[in-house]
Amino acid sequence: MNRREFLKTAGATGLAVIGGRILGAEQVRSGKVTGDGKPFKDVIVTDGLVCVKTDAAGRWSLPFREEARFVSVTIPSGWRTSGAHYLPLAGSASSLDFNLVPWAASAKAGCAFVQVADSEIHSTNEAECRWIGSVREVAAESKAAFVIHTGDICAKNGLEAHIKVMNAETVGVPVFYCIGNHDLVSGYDYGEKLFESIYGPCWHSFDAGGVHFIVTPMVGGSDRPAGYTATQVADWIRADLALVDPKTPVVFFNHYLCSFSDPAAAGRVWGGERPVDLRTACNFRAWVHGHLHARSFTWKDGVAVIAASNPNFGGSDHSPSSARVITVPMEGRVSARTFYGDFLPFKSERAGALWETKLDAGILFGGVMDGGDVLYCAVSDDDGAGTGAVCALEKSSGRIRWRSPVVNTIKGALALADGAVIGADIDGHVYAFEAKDGRERWRMNLSGAEENLLPLMEFGPTASPTGDAVVVGTAHRMVLLDVRTGKARWRGKEVGSEAAMVNASAFAEGAVVSQFRWSLLVCRDAATGEVRWTKEGYGFPGGRPLVRDGKVVCVSGERIAELDLRTGEVIRSSKPVKDGDFSCPGDLVETADLYLKGTKNSGLVAIDRKTLKRAWTGTCGESLVGVAPYRCRGTKCIPTTPTVLPDGKTVCAGGADGAIHFWRLTDGKLLRSIKTGAPYLGPAVASGSVVYAADLAGFVRAFAV
């Protein structure tokens, strides 16, 4: 075909012109798309830069580009490919054909799909991969059109293993993969070469239920240099969208946010030399990603920004292991539903409770807080449904006295100070509600930018010893707020750690001490916010440390340590506590003789304060969800702060196994377990002869002890 004939074909098939020119038009690649054996018109075909549509005979032609590695087809709604959606080019200019077969109803009525992310498996063994059977069940139950894995598959072993255990045959619906930072592998010509050899092109599009889905690659922050640039991807996005009806809903997939280094553009503008503003380029409905190992759902400019946590272990902020079903209608709001643990509904039971109250959604790491004659708790909103709230419940009956909505999920602890209940959500808002009636006293935005799309893993607020201020924030924006006005008394300098956990800070003896992931302990002056010292190797626990008698007592990994509050020097540190990994939520608690802390793998551990050796281990059942990071399900996790009962002889704590456990304080003997069926992630409250607790299914209960 000569240049004139090619240009004629290009015009007929909707060839997208990149940068005002046709590349390599003297040679072409061509092929045909058929649907159930018949010519298929108006199907988008691309080589990763140029996009065309098939003609009435199902034929397409693309300019020959030496650097093109694949040709792929945008699968239309109601169809799937009989083979892969892509063909490797390997320099060939021969005919390249695709055959589509009917898959589902082709009515343009929107669709649902299952998202998982950051599975980071290393083999195909059952312990690492049993969750994939649950994905199949969720996909079938929700009538999902497909499954999307939004990256970090992970590294060479994971890339080679994952496709064997999670594919259209094993899951029952088509499966698509994004490339993550841990999926760019060294030892090849370019970072994505291994990914391409197994999963095909790093960017492509497909349709389902009348919705256009665009899979894009992570740019920046990757483990190895990529062979692509943001400009190349932006050029292709522009070409792809040029062939899509402007009214068609469009959803983008990526391992993280595009332009994530620029908060004003993050998740909105695909950058490079010729950036694409997604808000104006298409009917932009959702940006779906992973990478953070944290579950969140935020709304920005009417667009749903959705992050998944890990399906097989807890997130970096201890988000429970989960998969998410996301529904995209042709019109209206995107919605979601999260499936935890084994991705089956929890079988919650009253289990002899004096009373139980069902709230709109689950309670996370704040649990319940004692407010005298009431309990305070924060209701989550991890699916963008508007359920986020702070509630006050009467201790005597469980009746909701007041409910005050918040913008998004409050994951961590609440604080009670100067007659106000204070909490911080993942959108960066801090709220103060009047404790007596729930009226909003004030709110402030920690991020300072409503357009920021990064979900914030905020510390829960901690009240000052005088009760007139609270400290809240992350390593990037630690602030001390006046409880009466919400005004900042100081804003701490960023210390460079990646993010906060769901724990709160310790605020005592003129200091604010905080632990960050991955491994940083930070001490600030409580009066000024100035950093006194930092200590590497003492972070990532998920619970607040202790400050007392001029010491900081903290856990990290499998050890417990005491440090000098003035200098940060280690006074003494335990040897690793075997099978006692403390990297899970829940504060460190002390008694006269013991330090008590939940573990991510072996229940509750008591450490002798004199020797820093294990005194006893309190057993529990197998976890229903993964909570602690980097640990497969099947562990025995106590992710809550232990509570010593008023008798001084018993300690209780809720478990990820869906039960509240009671152990004898002297030796850890299990005295009683109340099994209610849904995991407990936050602390219980003991008052008189009653224990109050809230679970992930949204139940608050009172139990006589």
Side-chain angles (χ1 to χ4, degrees), residues 267-492:
R268 295 168 167 82
V269 179
W270 191 280
E273 298 172 6
R274 293 179 290 277
V276 180
D277 190 325
L278 306 179
R279 295 166 293 185
T280 58
C282 61
N283 182 9
F284 184 25
R285 301 290 295 283
W287 183 277
V288 180
H289 68 97
H291 184 61
L292 296 174
H293 292 213
R295 192 178 65 256
S296 64
F297 192 125
T298 60
W299 290 100
K300 304 296 179 183
D301 301 329
V303 175
V305 182
I306 304 170
S309 58
N310 315 76
N312 48 348
F313 48 80
S316 291
D317 68 340
H318 304 289
S319 290
S321 57
S322 62
R324 191 184 247 131
V325 173
I326 300 171
T327 301
V328 185
M330 295 300 291
E331 297 181 2
R333 288 164 66 95
V334 173
S335 62
R337 180 185 176 192
T338 296
F339 292 79
Y340 299 99
D342 285 326
F343 310 159
L344 299 173
F346 297 123
K347 297 179 180 178
S348 293
E349 300 176 7
R350 182 161 179 163
L354 300 174
W355 55 256
E356 71 173 16
T357 299
K358 177 68 170 69
L359 300 176
D360 294 333
I363 289 81
L364 298 175
F365 306 101
V368 290
M369 183 176 67
D370 196 344
D373 62 341
V374 296
L375 303 169
Y376 300 107
C377 64
V379 184
S380 64
D381 185 20
D382 284 346
D383 288 330
T387 57
V390 174
C391 294
L393 290 79
E394 294 180 355
K395 275 186 176 179
S396 59
S397 64
R399 185 181 73 86
I400 298 174
R401 182 173 292 184
W402 54 259
R403 177 187 183 278
S404 298
V406 297
V407 173
N408 212 312
T409 288
I410 294 176
K411 290 191 174 183
L414 299 171
L416 184 60
D418 190 38
V421 180
I422 301 160
D425 74 17
I426 65 168
D427 261 339
H429 300 98
V430 185
Y431 310 82
F433 298 108
E434 298 293 344
K436 60 182 179 180
D437 57 17
R439 286 184 300 111
E440 187 175 296
R441 181 183 293 184
W442 51 259
R443 84 168 64 180
M444 63 91 69
N445 186 5
L446 282 181
S447 69
E450 289 288 350
E451 72 275 8
N452 187 4
L453 278 177
L454 298 171
L456 310 175
M457 291 172 276
E458 304 293 352
F459 278 114
T462 300
S464 65
T466 55
D468 61 343
V470 292
V471 64
V472 66
T474 70
H476 307 294
R477 50 191 162 270
M478 184 72 75
V479 297
L480 183 70
L481 303 176
D482 185 282
V483 175
R484 292 303 308 164
T485 66
K487 304 251 183 224
R489 294 186 182 179
W490 53 252
R491 295 179 181 271

Side-chain angles (χ1 to χ4, degrees), residues 652-655 657-662 672-675 680 684 691 693 703:
C652 78
D657 59 352
I660 302 171
H661 304 282
F662 299 82
R672 180 189 180 194
S673 292
I674 303 174
K675 298 180 181 180
Y680 291 90
V691 167
F703 295 98

Side-chain angles (χ1 to χ4, degrees), residues 651-699:
V651 58
C652 78
D657 59 352
I660 302 171
H661 304 282
F662 299 82
W663 302 274
R664 192 159 58 200
L665 187 58
T666 54
D667 59 7
K669 180 182 178 181
L670 183 64
L671 303 174
R672 180 189 180 194
S673 292
I674 303 174
K675 298 180 181 180
T676 56
Y680 291 90
L681 304 184
V685 166
S687 178
S689 60
V690 180
V691 167
Y692 306 89
D695 67 21
L696 187 56
F699 286 95

Side-chain angles (χ1 to χ4, degrees), residues 12-135:
T13 57
L15 175 65
V17 180
I18 306 300
R21 59 196 176 96
I22 303 293
L23 303 178
E26 285 74 14
Q27 292 180 284
V28 298
R29 290 186 170 99
S30 62
K32 187 175 183 179
V33 178
T34 55
D36 211 15
K38 301 176 182 178
F40 209 135
K41 185 176 182 291
D42 289 336
V43 177
I44 300 175
V45 180
T46 181
D47 64 356
L49 179 60
V50 181
C51 297
V52 298
K53 280 187 175 181
T54 56
D55 62 16
R59 293 188 297 267
W60 58 267
S61 295
L62 287 165
F64 186 95
R65 294 192 305 112
E66 190 67 39
E67 63 271 27
R69 298 171 188 160
F70 300 93
V71 61
S72 62
V73 61
T74 297
I75 305 169
S77 297
W79 297 82
R80 63 179 175 87
T81 54
S82 56
H85 66 275
Y86 62 92
L87 294 169
L89 293 173
S92 171
S94 59
S95 180
L96 300 158
D97 298 336
F98 294 92
N99 183 47
L100 305 175
V101 295
W103 170 248
S106 58
K108 295 184 177 181
C111 70
F113 61 89
V114 180
Q115 182 207 8
V116 295
D118 299 275
S119 52
E120 299 192 5
I121 69 169
H122 298 91
S123 71
T124 58
N125 68 49
E126 193 273 342
E128 285 201 77
C129 301
R130 69 177 186 176
W131 57 274
I132 293 172
S134 299
V135 171

Side-chain angles (χ1 to χ4, degrees), residues 479-539:
V479 297
L480 183 70
L481 303 176
D482 185 282
V483 175
R484 292 303 308 164
T485 66
K487 304 251 183 224
R489 294 186 182 179
W490 53 252
R491 295 179 181 271
K493 181 181 178 182
E494 181 179 331
V495 293
S497 183
E498 183 172 338
M501 306 299 292
V502 295
N503 56 324
S505 300
F507 196 154
E509 300 186 15
V512 173
V513 183
S514 315
Q515 286 179 284
F516 298 90
R517 81 166 197 245
W518 299 104
S519 61
L520 194 64
L521 181 67
V522 179
C523 179
R524 298 179 187 270
D525 186 281
T528 66
E530 293 296 315
V531 175
R532 290 181 179 176
W533 51 261
T534 63
K535 191 73 172 179
E536 288 285 349
Y538 292 88

